Short mmCIF file of all heavy atoms in Angstrom, two decimals:
data_model
loop_
_atom_site.label_atom_id
_atom_site.label_comp_id
_atom_site.label_asym_id
_atom_site.label_seq_id
_atom_site.Cartn_x
_atom_site.Cartn_y
_atom_site.Cartn_z
N LEU X 1 53.34 -75.21 25.80
CA LEU X 1 53.74 -75.57 24.51
C LEU X 1 52.45 -75.52 23.57
O LEU X 1 52.52 -75.06 22.46
CB LEU X 1 54.38 -77.04 24.45
CG LEU X 1 54.71 -77.59 23.07
CD1 LEU X 1 55.62 -76.71 22.30
CD2 LEU X 1 55.26 -78.97 23.16
N LEU X 2 51.42 -76.11 24.06
CA LEU X 2 50.18 -76.17 23.39
C LEU X 2 49.66 -74.74 22.95
O LEU X 2 49.17 -74.47 21.80
CB LEU X 2 49.10 -76.94 24.01
CG LEU X 2 48.01 -77.56 23.25
CD1 LEU X 2 48.65 -78.51 22.13
CD2 LEU X 2 47.14 -78.51 24.19
N ARG X 3 49.82 -73.85 23.83
CA ARG X 3 49.47 -72.44 23.64
C ARG X 3 50.43 -71.85 22.55
O ARG X 3 49.92 -71.09 21.75
CB ARG X 3 49.52 -71.60 24.98
CG ARG X 3 48.39 -72.00 25.84
CD ARG X 3 48.63 -71.14 27.18
NE ARG X 3 47.71 -71.66 28.21
CZ ARG X 3 46.49 -71.19 28.28
NH1 ARG X 3 45.90 -70.33 27.52
NH2 ARG X 3 45.75 -71.63 29.29
N LYS X 4 51.73 -72.18 22.53
CA LYS X 4 52.55 -71.66 21.50
C LYS X 4 52.18 -72.16 20.16
O LYS X 4 52.13 -71.41 19.23
CB LYS X 4 54.02 -72.21 21.80
CG LYS X 4 54.86 -71.31 22.79
CD LYS X 4 56.31 -71.86 22.73
CE LYS X 4 57.08 -70.90 23.60
NZ LYS X 4 58.31 -70.55 22.93
N LEU X 5 51.78 -73.48 20.14
CA LEU X 5 51.29 -74.09 18.91
C LEU X 5 50.13 -73.39 18.38
O LEU X 5 49.89 -73.12 17.18
CB LEU X 5 51.13 -75.50 18.92
CG LEU X 5 52.37 -76.44 19.32
CD1 LEU X 5 52.01 -77.88 19.46
CD2 LEU X 5 53.41 -76.31 18.15
N ALA X 6 49.05 -73.07 19.27
CA ALA X 6 47.88 -72.46 18.99
C ALA X 6 48.08 -70.96 18.47
O ALA X 6 47.54 -70.54 17.52
CB ALA X 6 46.95 -72.46 20.13
N THR X 7 49.06 -70.33 19.06
CA THR X 7 49.36 -68.97 18.61
C THR X 7 49.98 -69.02 17.15
O THR X 7 49.57 -68.24 16.39
CB THR X 7 50.47 -68.34 19.52
OG1 THR X 7 49.79 -68.22 20.77
CG2 THR X 7 50.89 -66.97 19.04
N ARG X 8 50.86 -69.97 16.85
CA ARG X 8 51.34 -70.13 15.45
C ARG X 8 50.29 -70.51 14.49
O ARG X 8 50.18 -69.95 13.43
CB ARG X 8 52.46 -71.22 15.45
CG ARG X 8 53.77 -70.74 15.69
CD ARG X 8 54.27 -69.41 15.14
NE ARG X 8 54.69 -69.57 13.68
CZ ARG X 8 54.84 -68.44 12.89
NH1 ARG X 8 54.62 -67.26 13.43
NH2 ARG X 8 55.09 -68.60 11.62
N CYS X 9 49.37 -71.32 14.91
CA CYS X 9 48.13 -71.73 14.06
C CYS X 9 47.37 -70.49 13.74
O CYS X 9 46.80 -70.38 12.58
CB CYS X 9 47.41 -72.80 14.80
SG CYS X 9 48.07 -74.44 14.78
N ALA X 10 47.15 -69.63 14.73
CA ALA X 10 46.38 -68.38 14.55
C ALA X 10 47.08 -67.50 13.62
O ALA X 10 46.42 -66.96 12.70
CB ALA X 10 46.19 -67.68 15.88
N VAL X 11 48.37 -67.31 13.74
CA VAL X 11 49.16 -66.45 12.90
C VAL X 11 49.16 -66.99 11.38
O VAL X 11 48.87 -66.20 10.48
CB VAL X 11 50.66 -66.40 13.37
CG1 VAL X 11 51.50 -65.65 12.32
CG2 VAL X 11 50.67 -65.62 14.74
N LEU X 12 49.22 -68.22 11.22
CA LEU X 12 49.12 -68.91 9.95
C LEU X 12 47.79 -69.14 9.40
O LEU X 12 47.62 -69.56 8.24
CB LEU X 12 50.03 -70.24 10.01
CG LEU X 12 51.45 -70.15 10.41
CD1 LEU X 12 52.06 -71.52 10.62
CD2 LEU X 12 52.27 -69.31 9.36
N ASP X 13 46.77 -68.93 10.22
CA ASP X 13 45.35 -69.16 9.88
C ASP X 13 45.09 -70.65 9.33
O ASP X 13 44.53 -70.78 8.36
CB ASP X 13 44.94 -68.12 8.81
CG ASP X 13 43.36 -68.14 8.68
OD1 ASP X 13 42.76 -68.44 9.69
OD2 ASP X 13 42.91 -67.78 7.64
N LEU X 14 45.71 -71.56 10.15
CA LEU X 14 45.57 -72.93 9.62
C LEU X 14 44.17 -73.44 10.05
O LEU X 14 43.46 -73.06 10.95
CB LEU X 14 46.63 -73.73 10.50
CG LEU X 14 48.03 -73.36 10.04
CD1 LEU X 14 49.05 -74.28 10.92
CD2 LEU X 14 48.35 -73.62 8.53
N ARG X 15 43.72 -74.57 9.30
CA ARG X 15 42.41 -75.10 9.38
C ARG X 15 42.55 -76.68 9.55
O ARG X 15 43.45 -77.25 9.12
CB ARG X 15 41.61 -74.82 8.20
CG ARG X 15 41.54 -73.39 7.78
CD ARG X 15 40.62 -72.57 8.80
NE ARG X 15 40.71 -71.25 8.51
CZ ARG X 15 39.64 -70.52 8.62
NH1 ARG X 15 38.38 -71.11 8.89
NH2 ARG X 15 39.59 -69.19 8.36
N VAL X 16 41.52 -77.22 10.19
CA VAL X 16 41.53 -78.70 10.40
C VAL X 16 40.87 -79.18 9.06
O VAL X 16 39.80 -78.79 8.64
CB VAL X 16 40.60 -79.11 11.53
CG1 VAL X 16 40.60 -80.64 11.69
CG2 VAL X 16 41.23 -78.59 12.79
N HIS X 17 41.57 -80.18 8.38
CA HIS X 17 41.17 -80.66 7.10
C HIS X 17 40.81 -82.19 7.16
O HIS X 17 40.72 -82.80 6.07
CB HIS X 17 42.12 -80.31 5.90
CG HIS X 17 43.38 -80.92 6.14
ND1 HIS X 17 44.36 -80.42 6.98
CD2 HIS X 17 43.98 -82.06 5.53
CE1 HIS X 17 45.44 -81.28 6.85
NE2 HIS X 17 45.22 -82.16 6.01
N ARG X 18 40.88 -82.77 8.31
CA ARG X 18 40.65 -84.21 8.45
C ARG X 18 39.80 -84.38 9.65
O ARG X 18 39.33 -83.47 10.24
CB ARG X 18 42.03 -84.87 8.58
CG ARG X 18 42.80 -84.26 9.82
CD ARG X 18 44.14 -84.96 10.06
NE ARG X 18 45.04 -84.54 8.92
CZ ARG X 18 46.17 -85.00 8.90
NH1 ARG X 18 46.76 -85.88 9.81
NH2 ARG X 18 47.13 -84.67 7.94
N SER X 19 39.47 -85.65 9.98
CA SER X 19 38.64 -85.91 11.11
C SER X 19 39.24 -85.53 12.40
O SER X 19 40.49 -85.45 12.45
CB SER X 19 38.33 -87.47 11.24
OG SER X 19 39.43 -88.11 11.54
N ASP X 20 38.50 -85.10 13.39
CA ASP X 20 39.07 -84.78 14.67
C ASP X 20 39.88 -85.88 15.29
O ASP X 20 40.99 -85.52 15.87
CB ASP X 20 37.96 -84.46 15.72
CG ASP X 20 37.34 -83.08 15.55
OD1 ASP X 20 37.63 -82.38 14.51
OD2 ASP X 20 36.64 -82.64 16.46
N GLU X 21 39.59 -87.18 15.14
CA GLU X 21 40.45 -88.22 15.67
C GLU X 21 41.82 -88.21 15.04
O GLU X 21 42.82 -88.44 15.79
CB GLU X 21 39.68 -89.63 15.43
CG GLU X 21 38.39 -89.80 16.16
CD GLU X 21 37.26 -89.06 15.50
OE1 GLU X 21 37.28 -88.76 14.33
OE2 GLU X 21 36.21 -88.87 16.18
N GLU X 22 41.78 -88.14 13.67
CA GLU X 22 43.19 -88.01 13.02
C GLU X 22 44.04 -86.91 13.48
O GLU X 22 45.19 -86.97 13.83
CB GLU X 22 43.02 -87.98 11.53
CG GLU X 22 42.49 -89.28 10.91
CD GLU X 22 42.23 -89.14 9.45
OE1 GLU X 22 41.39 -88.24 9.02
OE2 GLU X 22 42.85 -89.83 8.64
N ALA X 23 43.38 -85.77 13.48
CA ALA X 23 44.10 -84.45 13.91
C ALA X 23 44.51 -84.55 15.36
O ALA X 23 45.56 -84.13 15.82
CB ALA X 23 43.21 -83.20 13.66
N LEU X 24 43.69 -85.13 16.25
CA LEU X 24 44.06 -85.23 17.54
C LEU X 24 45.17 -86.14 17.79
O LEU X 24 46.10 -85.93 18.57
CB LEU X 24 42.73 -85.78 18.41
CG LEU X 24 42.98 -85.79 19.94
CD1 LEU X 24 43.18 -84.57 20.54
CD2 LEU X 24 41.65 -86.52 20.50
#
């Protein structure tokens, strides 16, 4: 599932815009 999400993030070119703790 995490790989699916990563693939979608790559397609959408998404970026982390908050602290690692919040995003995690």
Side-chain angles (χ1 to χ4, degrees):
L1 172 61
L2 207 51
R3 287 177 192 274
K4 276 187 172 227
L5 295 176
T7 299
R8 271 319 279 169
C9 286
V11 168
L12 299 168
D13 192 27
L14 297 179
R15 307 288 175 142
V16 179
H17 64 280
R18 53 179 74 184
S19 72
D20 277 12
E21 293 79 19
E22 288 176 302
L24 185 59

